[in-house]
Amino acid sequence: MTTARTKASRLAFFGAAIGVTTLALTSCAGGGEAAAPTEFSYLSFAENTSIQDTLTTLSEDSCAAENDALPLKVSTQPQASYDQQLQLLAGQNALPSLFASGNSPQVAKDLQTGDKLVDIAAELDDLDAADDILPAARSTIEALYGGEVFVLPTELNVEGIWYNKAIFAELGIEEPTTWDELTDAAATLNEAGVIPFSADGQDGWPLTRLVGNYLYRSLGPDALQKVADGDAELTDPEYVEAAAAVAELGAAGYFGPSVGSIDYMTAVNQFLTGQAGMFYMGSWILANFNDEAQNQIGADNIGFMPFPEIEGGAGSSDQLAANVGVPLAMSQESFNDETAAWLGCIAENFGSESLGSQGVITGFATNTPVEGLPPLTEMIQEKIAATEQSVLWFEALFDAKAATTSQSNASQLVTGAISPEEFMGLVQADLK
Amino acid sequence: MNRVLGDWRAITILLGPALLVYTLVMLVPIFWSLGYTVFEGNPILGFTFVGFDNFAQLFTDPKVGDALWFTIRYAVVLTLLQVLFGYGLALIYVFWLRKASGVIRTLAFFPVVLPTVAVALLFQELFKIAPVQGLVNDILNVFGIASVDWFASSATAFWVMIFMDLWRSMGFYAVLLYAGLVDIPDDIFESARLDGASGFRLVWHIVIPLSLPVLLSSIIFSINGTLKVFDSILALTGGGPGNTTTPLTLYMFQTSFTYGEYGFGSTIALLLTVLCLVVTIFIFQSNRRDLTKD
């Protein structure tokens, strides 16, 4: 064999290797036309079992016909890596028929911008099922997603401060209606050796919820929309004041020792074992409160108050913070008559099924009345019904970067490791 | 054997599959990632060419500076400590325990084989303060010292991290350096002792120079491993409090996969690669003399 032929052979070999590699990579990249779905695939947060349980029950009962046409298949992904999975699937045009829309509203907004999502509002109009989404849930979704409805509200939660009635009565504390009354109540609890506020500082968001609520009460319901629109900055003095107020609670020791080490379930247990007087949390916590094994203080002993008003503030305590839990989106790619039938069935039946079997209040109408609900659940239903205007939470309109910065620095804010100015500055720096 | 190794077809058959797999799983992703450094976007919204904007962002994003400083601090401190303690253990094996060192070597090596996440969870339990305080705070209380919230401050969290990784890794460096020390012929030590060298002088003038090649390898292993630390920090502190214990690797991961900024994440990865390369070259350059040839 001549040298020239040897070189040619080598070149041919490397050419073939590169060709095989390219083919392999091309086949991995996907992106082709999707075939009609053979199943109604649902991708869920692994940590959330209530939605998948409700859907499974529907598939066996109210939605059995839809399930026969397109069987439900549930798969899960841990919440921590969920957004990565969505990005991967979206990049391959392989999104499931129905899926939890991601860790922050921004993920669903990106999917919508990429024309990947079904226009839920339009499809429900076509199915004559628009009334199956409650007006309060619809307005919350519209506030979250820039006026559009492309997700389903599997929960409808209001947030506020739960308190231990027995401890309040024992110490002669009236339900606070203003921030000053709230801090006075906290001082009384603290002096009596009770942790004033149980809070999950490890995850941070229960602390930043306080900052958000303070802003809504002091500056009004559009306080954070102004920041999102670029009309205000978190470093403006009136915004820093909210962070400073929450930092003062921490400086006074009102979150108990080592709040940064407390995780979600520990915070829940602190309140349900009577160690803490108050607990800021959403109404999804009712599942824990209504569980006698967990609730050692008794459901009758738990009161709920809205976040109090700030004297001279533009907001009102009638404006409860609200969210729609884990919103579900549908893939445009696999949407056809059969998945549309599933959408109609979910809209019609999810609310009653979820409330009846899971005790979860959803943003769907309860078309089949549910009897025998626990009193706390009924009380929250009444609060939701009476709420005419809701507000969002601190990070609702932030992108993932700013939301992470906010939550990961919250415990530093209340332990005094960083100043309120630094905290707001860090979050503002990450806002695009 | 020479005929086989000189045969182009034999080389192709023997090396081809491995080369192909290596290309697919190592080289292609490296170059792919390098390509991302001049793009911005994610698989949902698509990618846009942005030139050198991501490189400019490296200099303007304060979190990159924080992560770089933390990474360097962590790598320098841990490298010094784990090589020093590893070397100390190796010297104890060779000169003090001698042939009875087997059990101690096994015990010291044991943490190396434990999963990193399990070790991190163990240390979280040892150092925690709430809701139930861990053993370390219990011990402090016995001596009348108040409990410390170790993970609430970056300074204490840093030293818990260093302590954990030192405990986890020094057994490995001890075994590595022990292998270098046992290679030194006994007659050299005997000659040195006859010349009056003992203790520290023996170690300084005989042991260290003769074990320098393996010491150098240990430092390179260590510095590269510590510059790329990821799992132990993620499991122990998650990069907190705030981002005060976030190394470049974790910030790169967050940027790419949590924030969906693949281009900037790849640029941070490139910075880390360059950093590892520069440090390795610096260590080699500072000791170019090949001691094994003397």
Side-chain angles (χ1 to χ4, degrees):
Chain A
M1 192 182 281
T2 64
T3 309
R5 283 185 64 191
T6 309
K7 280 182 181 169
S9 303
R10 288 178 187 176
L11 280 174
F13 166 74
F14 283 112
I18 289 165
V20 168
T21 308
T22 310
L23 275 174
L25 290 169
T26 311
S27 66
C28 290
E33 284 291 311
T38 55
E39 57 196 19
F40 186 64
S41 50
Y42 168 56
L43 179 64
S44 166
F45 290 147
E47 293 83 352
N48 182 309
T49 55
S50 69
I51 299 173
Q52 48 183 299
D53 288 349
T54 302
L55 286 172
T56 304
T57 309
L58 288 177
S59 74
E60 293 161 354
D61 186 8
S62 310
C63 302
E66 287 78 8
N67 192 58
D68 286 342
L70 205 61
L72 172 72
K73 188 186 176 192
V74 176
S75 53
T76 62
Q77 179 76 23
Q79 191 166 353
S81 57
Y82 190 85
D83 291 357
Q84 297 154 244
Q85 177 76 351
L86 272 194
Q87 287 177 5
L88 188 69
L89 292 171
Q92 296 176 340
N93 282 333
L95 284 170
S97 306
L98 180 73
F99 54 95
S101 62
N103 281 307
S104 75
Q106 188 60 43
V107 179
K109 284 181 192 171
D110 286 351
L111 287 168
Q112 171 68 356
T113 307
D115 206 20
K116 305 279 185 192
L117 300 186
V118 169
D119 183 345
I120 295 286
E123 293 301 332
L124 287 178
D125 281 341
D126 287 351
L127 292 164
D128 202 20
D131 292 343
D132 285 329
I133 293 188
L134 300 175
R138 181 182 286 265
S139 73
T140 306
I141 291 172
E142 286 171 349
L144 277 172
Y145 298 98
E148 294 187 74
V149 179
F150 45 81
V151 294
L152 292 166
T154 57
E155 290 178 30
L156 181 56
N157 301 300
V158 288
E159 299 176 12
I161 300 171
W162 307 83
Y163 62 93
N164 186 318
K165 287 182 185 172
I167 295 177
F168 268 44
E170 190 183 325
L171 297 174
I173 304 171
E174 294 289 321
E175 186 180 294
T177 55
T178 64
W179 179 259
D180 289 342
E181 288 175 15
L182 184 77
T183 51
D184 288 346
T188 308
L189 289 163
N190 200 38
E191 282 163 21
V194 178
I195 298 170
F197 296 98
S198 182
D200 164 17
Q202 207 169 76
D203 294 311
W205 58 263
L207 298 170
T208 60
R209 289 294 218 254
L210 301 178
V211 179
N213 271 285
Y214 192 102
L215 285 170
Y216 286 126
R217 295 291 184 263
S218 61
L219 302 176
D222 59 348
L224 288 163
Q225 187 63 52
K226 282 182 182 169
V227 175
D229 294 342
D231 296 332
E233 293 202 341
L234 294 172
T235 47
D236 293 345
E238 62 272 28
Y239 284 83
V240 173
E241 182 196 314
V246 175
E248 279 170 23
L249 296 180
Y254 293 165
F255 296 110
S258 315
V259 63
S261 307
I262 303 291
D263 62 15
Y264 180 80
M265 277 319 295
T266 305
V268 174
N269 289 337
Q270 272 185 344
F271 183 69
L272 291 182
T273 53
Q275 297 172 59
M278 293 183 274
F279 186 33
Y280 180 92
M281 195 46 64
S283 54
W284 60 85
I285 198 69
L286 286 171
N288 302 78
F289 288 179
N290 290 327
D291 179 359
E292 288 178 8
Q294 291 184 57
N295 187 350
Q296 295 178 27
I297 59 175
D300 297 344
N301 193 22
I302 297 176
F304 177 84
M305 59 173 150
F307 193 88
E309 295 185 2
I310 310 293
E311 282 172 36
S316 155
S317 59
D318 294 335
Q319 298 151 350
L320 287 178
N323 68 63
V324 285
V326 180
L328 302 186
M330 296 187 80
S331 163
Q332 182 70 258
E333 194 72 28
S334 59
F335 196 74
N336 59 14
D337 290 347
E338 288 165 327
T339 48
W342 259 108
L343 170 62
C345 188
I346 289 170
E348 188 181 346
N349 298 293
F350 196 97
S352 299
E353 181 59 45
S354 184
L355 184 61
S357 61
Q358 307 285 333
V360 175
I361 301 168
T362 71
F364 295 105
T366 45
N367 292 320
T368 308
V370 180
E371 303 295 334
L373 288 174
L376 272 178
T377 307
E378 283 186 339
M379 186 257 284
I380 289 301
Q381 273 186 311
E382 287 164 16
K383 295 271 183 196
I384 290 171
T387 303
E388 291 183 359
Q389 185 180 13
S390 62
V391 290
L392 298 172
W393 61 99
F394 188 54
E395 296 91 358
L397 303 173
F398 296 172
D399 60 19
K401 195 173 190 175
T404 306
T405 299
S406 163
Q407 291 164 6
S408 59
N409 285 286
S411 64
Q412 295 209 103
L413 171 70
V414 298
T415 57
I418 56 174
S419 69
E421 289 81 7
E422 284 174 306
F423 175 77
M424 289 306 223
L426 285 169
V427 182
Q428 181 64 45
D430 283 341
L431 288 172
K432 285 178 182 169
Chain B
M1 183 57 78
N2 282 342
R3 277 186 60 201
V4 172
L5 293 179
D7 184 348
W8 165 242
R9 284 190 191 84
I11 293 171
T12 306
I13 291 166
L14 292 172
L15 291 183
L19 191 66
L20 185 64
V21 170
Y22 181 79
T23 304
L24 280 174
V25 301
M26 290 292 288
L27 297 182
V28 170
I30 287 172
F31 285 105
W32 204 304
S33 175
L34 198 62
Y36 275 136
T37 59
V38 288
F39 285 90
E40 183 182 86
N42 59 50
I44 297 174
L45 296 172
F47 291 89
T48 323
F49 181 76
V50 292
F52 291 102
D53 285 4
N54 290 323
F55 292 91
Q57 199 180 339
L58 276 182
F59 296 98
T60 56
D61 184 348
K63 287 183 184 170
V64 172
D66 293 344
L68 182 63
W69 172 231
F70 173 81
T71 303
I72 291 170
R73 215 158 31 104
Y74 173 87
V76 169
V77 172
L78 189 58
T79 296
L80 277 175
L81 290 178
Q82 65 191 6
V83 173
L84 200 68
F85 275 76
Y87 201 57
L89 277 173
L91 290 172
I92 290 171
Y93 298 158
V94 173
F95 293 109
W96 188 37
L97 296 170
R98 296 171 193 271
K99 288 186 177 162
S101 69
V103 175
I104 306 295
R105 265 186 290 152
T106 308
L107 286 174
F109 193 79
F110 175 66
V112 178
V113 299
L114 293 175
T116 312
V117 174
V119 173
L121 292 176
L122 172 74
F123 272 71
Q124 268 184 352
E125 290 298 310
L126 285 175
F127 284 87
K128 76 177 180 182
I129 187 166
V132 180
Q133 76 174 15
L135 184 66
V136 173
N137 278 324
D138 283 341
I139 293 169
L140 289 180
N141 294 166
V142 167
F143 293 101
I145 303 167
S147 300
V148 177
D149 193 350
W150 295 94
F151 300 111
S153 132
S154 60
T156 48
F158 177 80
W159 286 108
V160 173
M161 206 175 281
I162 291 287
F163 180 52
M164 179 185 83
D165 281 334
L166 179 63
W167 178 77
R168 205 168 59 83
S169 60
M170 68 182 183
F172 171 77
Y173 290 95
V175 168
L176 193 70
L177 291 160
Y178 172 75
L181 289 181
V182 293
D183 264 359
I184 302 172
D186 281 344
D187 50 359
I188 292 180
F189 291 129
E190 282 169 24
S191 309
R193 284 193 183 102
L194 285 172
D195 290 342
S198 64
F200 179 75
R201 286 183 66 199
L202 184 71
V203 171
W204 186 253
H205 292 292
I206 305 295
V207 179
I208 290 179
L210 290 178
S211 59
L212 209 52
V214 73
L215 204 54
L216 196 67
S217 303
S218 298
I219 292 169
I220 291 169
F221 267 132
S222 177
I223 199 87
N224 277 288
T226 50
L227 283 173
K228 291 185 287 187
V229 64
F230 179 79
D231 47 358
S232 63
I233 292 181
L234 183 65
L236 187 71
T237 66
N243 65 337
T244 53
T245 61
T246 301
L248 275 175
T249 49
L250 184 54
Y251 188 50
M252 181 266 289
F253 176 81
Q254 289 171 337
T255 305
S256 301
F257 302 113
T258 307
Y259 312 150
E261 296 175 8
Y262 286 80
F264 187 47
S266 296
T267 314
I268 297 171
L270 182 63
L271 171 68
L272 185 65
T273 308
V274 170
L275 183 67
C276 288
L277 202 65
V278 167
V279 169
T280 307
I281 290 170
F282 175 76
I283 294 169
F284 270 123
Q285 287 293 322
S286 65
N287 201 325
R288 293 180 74 176
R289 190 167 60 96
D290 187 349
L291 293 164
T292 58
K293 298 283 170 62
D294 284 349

